[in-house]
Amino acid sequence: MKLLVVDDSEFEHQVIARLLQGMEGVRVAFASGGVAGLEAVESETPDVILTDLFMPDMDGLELVQRVRKRRPGVPLILMTAFGSEDVAIQALRAGAANYLPKKDLARDLVGMVRQVLDVFNADRRRQQLFQCVERRESTFDIGNDPNLVGSLVQLLQEELDGLGVLDRPAQIRIRVALQEALVNALYHGNLEVSSELRQEDERIFFDLAEARRDREPYKSRRIRVLTRLDRQSATFVVSDQGPGFDTSRIDQPIDPEDLLRIGGRGLLLIRTFMDEVTFNSTGNTITMVKRLSPDADA
């Protein structure tokens, strides 16, 4: 793990180097100020940044803000002087991962860096495990919680990313299709809220959906998701417990006006981004298949 220390004091460089000396798995680099630190981030992205809060050319708060825009995945730890807690809070709100008073460097620096290192190693091992996946099957039951929809899509996206067989645009297209299928199962399936309500005022649509989440029969309905991933294809089966819809409409040409309507683009996106899309006879289960390799057709 590369740790970049940003501080305009050469003395602080020596102190930190001495504290981290012999810490296995950490390579320490130094930058003498905020501007130099930003340049170092651009030339070789570090795994974690330890930065002073007060520097003459660019303070730590501005550095946090700039790094978060350019390298949002890099955690930053601020070193603060006595009486700078208010500014440290601003930096935390801007995206810093933690802060460490300089008076506590000797006591807490190694432990804090070790904590970050543990997270870094865990993420690296996780990615290595994903690359070892030959086949993975999962079943999820997420109820009617809209917050879990985004979390599940993120989890499935990470599993697909780990396979290493899709470029970024393809990953985004699959994510969009999954999101559309799950949102459809939640709002139109289980909660039976018509997309027509969204045309004039989306608040009516979402207010009705929220009210139905606490009423029967909608309250007890579940969304079930089955996934099968391997290096040839990815299959996603999304089922709700709503009444379904007339599946004969699926093969009808899509009205161009529907593409301009809120809620009218979901099925088009799913059919465009997935290689195979089928429904059960009731219309409350959709099966989506994405081929991940040229051999998948076989």
Side-chain angles (χ1 to χ4, degrees), residues 157 160-161 164 166-176:
Q157 181 77 60
L160 281 168
D161 291 352
L166 293 172
D167 59 18
R168 179 56 61 180
Q171 293 170 7
I172 293 174
R173 289 193 289 269
I174 292 178
R175 184 185 185 114
V176 169

Side-chain angles (χ1 to χ4, degrees), residues 87-226:
V87 183
I89 291 174
Q90 294 180 44
L92 292 173
R93 289 173 176 168
N98 210 332
Y99 77 97
L100 179 62
K102 281 195 170 183
K103 64 182 180 63
D104 297 330
L105 278 177
R107 185 188 67 189
D108 296 335
L109 178 60
V110 171
M112 189 171 291
V113 172
R114 194 180 303 280
Q115 184 182 52
V116 174
L117 180 61
D118 289 343
V119 173
F120 172 79
N121 285 332
D123 287 343
R124 183 176 60 184
R125 288 191 293 268
R126 188 179 184 205
Q127 288 300 315
Q128 289 173 338
L129 280 175
F130 276 138
Q131 293 170 7
C132 297
V133 170
E134 293 298 329
R135 181 179 178 85
R136 182 179 178 127
E137 297 187 8
S138 305
T139 302
F140 302 88
D141 184 341
I142 63 172
N144 285 324
D145 187 347
N147 294 319
L148 291 181
V149 168
S151 298
L152 178 56
V153 170
Q154 178 65 33
L155 174 62
L156 296 176
Q157 181 77 60
E158 290 177 4
E159 292 187 350
L160 281 168
D161 291 352
L163 291 174
V165 296
L166 293 172
D167 59 18
R168 179 56 61 180
Q171 293 170 7
I172 293 174
R173 289 193 289 269
I174 292 178
R175 184 185 185 114
V176 169
L178 285 170
Q179 182 83 20
E180 292 291 343
L182 287 165
V183 166
N184 180 70
L186 171 63
Y187 291 109
H188 305 320
N190 282 353
L191 300 180
E192 298 183 53
V193 183
S194 172
S195 59
E196 294 297 323
L197 296 177
R198 300 183 65 185
Q199 305 309 314
E200 296 183 3
D201 190 343
E202 284 195 321
R203 290 175 297 179
I204 299 174
F205 178 92
F206 288 110
D207 287 348
L208 178 58
E210 189 61 28
R212 288 187 173 180
R213 287 183 62 213
D214 294 324
R215 301 203 317 251
E216 297 292 357
Y218 317 102
K219 181 180 179 180
S220 299
R221 291 173 176 171
R222 318 292 296 174
I223 297 175
R224 189 176 180 85
V225 182
L226 285 75

Side-chain angles (χ1 to χ4, degrees), residues 2 80-81 129 183 229 232 268:
K2 179 183 178 182
T80 61
L129 280 175
V183 166
L229 303 177
Q232 282 69 51
L268 173 66

Side-chain angles (χ1 to χ4, degrees), residues 270-289:
I270 292 172
R271 291 168 63 182
T272 301
F273 293 159
M274 292 294 188
D275 295 311
E276 298 175 25
V277 179
T278 57
F279 287 86
N280 66 347
S281 58
T282 305
N284 59 3
T285 295
I286 181 173
T287 300
M288 302 171 290
V289 179

